[in-house]
Amino acid sequence: MSQLNHQWQRFTLAQKLSRYSVYLIFVLALVMSMRTVEIIPEFFFDAPEQMMDMFSRMWPIDVAFYPMTVHSAIIETLNIATLGTLVTLIFAIPLALLNASNVVASPAAHWLARFFLVSSRSVNSLVWALLFVAIFGPGVLAGVLAIALRSVGFVGKLLSEALEEIDMGSVEALRATGAPWGAVMLKGYWPQVMPAFYSIVLFRWDINVRESAVLGLVGAGGIGVVLNDSMNLFEWQQVATSLLAIFAVVIMAEVLVVNIRKRMI
Amino acid sequence: MAGLTPQQHKMHPDPFPRKPWHSVLSVLVVVYLVYSINTMGLDWQRFIDGLGHADKLLDRMFPPNFSRWELLLEGLLESLEIAVISSAAGIFLSLFIGLLAARNFMPNWVSVPVRGFIAICRSFHPVIIAILFVKSVGFGALAGILTLIIATIGFIAKLFAEAIEEISFKQVEAIQATGANFISVILFSVMPQVFSRFIGFATYQFDSNLRNSTMVGIVGAGGLGGTLFSAFQRFDYDFVAAILITIIALILFWEFLSTLVRRIFQCRS
């Protein structure tokens, strides 16, 4: 008589083993890191006190500093983010078309596009900014290009995914009428990806506003330059003004994006 | 023949109508471009000059110089340590914070302030948080770890709260009907429903922490970023190229590993 196995198990043995090995490797990595990382424990326990000290130096906030320097720097930051997002589109749209398998059916073009998209995303915007400051010198131009090249990977990847998800019926109908390539693009693909396109661009603009606020730390223009200067002079009250301005702009950008998306979709 | 007369033709609506807001938008974009290029003083000559410099820079970056690999390895290990510790601590804290922020489990007076805290964590760029921590706990890995813990809470706790808000309450009621206490309800009815999504968020966040841990060093918070920044300042562009290649290789390697982990836990992307 064969006995039925009444013991119900949620996972098979192989599943369990692979899950436990992931846990084990993670715990090992954590223990190794905890043992070797260079942390001075006194600094850790001292941290709350030091934080309080820093915040007490920030108070009261230097409001008079805002109209002098911060306002124009904030406007510059917004311009860097917006212009960078617009410049991104010049590179991102062709790469997205090359990367979408239902637009260009060539594996070589696919790999080429993917290579550019991945390398754009792997390098952080601050590192891009360092490179462009080395090339174009400190200033707004380096900031705009850093934002633009960092965003190419993000916008290109999401846009090509949106292109791949469209319904090919209308594209095929247009092709059957003998429409030229441009007409197929504009009237077949574009109406279907348009909502996704605008929401990707808005989303990236929101991220770019945050990122362009720090580019100035490496000399690429915007509010970061002001922040860096007042920090080097230990003017904590001015630092607080800049931080508050960044916070306000970031919140406003987010509210704006959320509202536009709600209207659109 | 009647179908081809112009009168008949007019009865069909235009299949491709022009949207007026589209032309308004394109005009606005052009106006903005002119305005912003003028106010920011971007000039074409500088761009052309820069391209010449780019040529020189690329010349000095290649071939990449791996001769100081000990320095590179030291920075890399520190970056990895920062990423691992901050992900572990940040995800652990996010479990509780996410639960406190879930509107279907907690009353408003708990969830609203917790949500505010998460929003503050999210709204500052990690580099700005890193600066504040460097000023208060000194240079080194500790500042990087604390920074990335904050970044992790801002992202994971929010997504985790949303995942909990979407769960089905049938299991919760079933477990509650057995007379289980609050901890058991969480462990046996909520966790199984959100666990695989949670692993998905966690692998994504580890990826993002890895990228950021190679960057926070630029402001002195430890890791490969510090090595990169000092190489930049000493104009060792061949070493810069070596560091950048290492960072890209590290991130590609993690992307491979994370797909493996997700397949093991069967996450939907």
Side-chain angles (χ1 to χ4, degrees), chain A residues 125-126 209-218 221 223-224, chain B residues 125 127-128:
Chain A
S125 57
L126 266 186
V209 170
R210 285 157 212 251
E211 296 215 322
S212 58
V214 298
L215 290 181
L217 295 170
V218 295
I223 183 76
Chain B
H125 194 276
V127 170
I128 291 179

Side-chain angles (χ1 to χ4, degrees), chain B residues 220-239:
Chain B
L224 205 49
T227 323
L228 182 72
F229 194 48
S230 54
F232 252 109
Q233 286 184 322
R234 280 183 276 118
F235 306 110
D236 285 339
Y237 290 124
D238 46 357
F239 190 43

Side-chain angles (χ1 to χ4, degrees), chain A residues 99 106-116:
Chain A
N99 196 27
S106 134
H110 229 80
W111 280 108
L112 186 74
R114 191 151 294 175
F115 170 74
F116 282 115

